[in-house]
Amino acid sequence: ADPDLLLEAMALREELAEAEDAAAVAALLAKTEAMIGEIEAALSGAFASGDLAAATGLALRFLYMRKFVEEATRRRRQIGA
């Protein structure tokens, strides 16, 4: 996988681990959902232009971000929000 993507995912997980309340987790979720929207738009553009290499990288990034949303949602439930 892309080293930058792995670093980004690790940084998000670190922020999630340090989140002490529901508001901090909600902020991370909002940030990640915004990134997912940007990825979806870029993915659409990559497919439209036939850039399958870019689409592949974006699809992988999308999967990482969706997985993070699932983890953050579980964390929010653990905190009690």
Side-chain angles (χ1 to χ4, degrees), residues 2-81:
D2 176 7
D4 291 334
L5 175 59
L6 295 176
L7 286 174
E8 181 180 27
M10 286 175 37
L12 283 170
R13 285 188 176 85
E14 185 175 320
E15 284 184 67
L16 182 59
E18 294 172 356
E20 296 182 5
D21 58 29
V25 176
L28 278 171
L29 280 167
K31 178 170 109 174
T32 307
E33 291 289 357
M35 288 191 300
I36 288 171
E38 293 169 7
I39 294 167
E40 288 172 333
L43 190 55
S44 178
F47 277 121
S49 68
D51 188 349
L52 298 182
T56 300
L58 288 163
L60 182 60
R61 187 165 184 246
F62 175 84
L63 292 174
Y64 269 86
M65 294 303 118
R66 289 303 314 160
K67 184 174 184 207
F68 178 79
V69 166
E70 292 170 13
E71 292 172 15
T73 300
R74 279 194 299 274
R75 174 83 169 120
R76 187 171 56 186
R77 284 189 203 120
Q78 289 172 346
I79 291 174

